[in-house]
Amino acid sequence: MTVGPYTGNSSDRFGYASGIGFTTIDRDNDVDHNNNNCADYYHGGWWYKGCHSMNINGQWGNTRYGEGLTWYPLTSFYQSVSTVEMKVRKPDTS
């Protein structure tokens, strides 16, 4: 994934994962230094780096370290956000 300039009212967490491949349980593309598959640890596929500072595929309401719907620094690693919305659009090529 390559991420362009960020605009919005939350912290830019996708910039942290720019250039990282999407990791799934059967395809480990993260760069975790402990050789763990982050998708296995954190409940599904995501653009993990080592392992994450955001994960909207986490378990809603889970307060165990990094296992909830985390968006650090908004939630820390021990809280979940209450709602998530992700929008993707094609890059403007004009």
Side-chain angles (χ1 to χ4, degrees):
M1 168 178 71
T2 303
V3 179
Y6 168 76
T7 60
N9 61 1
S10 182
S11 60
D12 176 15
R13 301 317 313 161
F14 277 111
Y16 168 79
S18 189
I20 299 297
F22 194 84
T23 291
T24 60
I25 291 171
D26 62 344
R27 189 171 299 259
D28 187 358
N29 291 314
D30 61 63
V31 291
D32 180 62
H33 298 294
N34 296 318
N35 296 318
N36 296 318
N37 182 330
C38 297
D40 217 10
Y41 272 57
Y42 296 108
H43 309 292
W46 193 250
W47 293 276
Y48 295 106
K49 192 168 182 178
C51 271
H52 67 78
S53 62
M54 60 161 175
N55 180 12
I56 64 171
N57 285 331
Q59 294 178 328
W60 184 84
N62 190 331
T63 58
R64 288 185 302 244
Y65 178 85
E67 294 188 28
L69 297 166
T70 56
W71 196 271
Y72 189 87
L74 180 66
T75 61
S76 82
F77 292 112
Y78 296 96
Q79 299 173 353
S80 284
V81 293
S82 56
T83 60
V84 173
E85 185 175 306
M86 184 172 171
K87 297 178 180 181
V88 180
R89 65 182 166 115
K90 287 176 133 180
D92 184 10
T93 58
S94 59

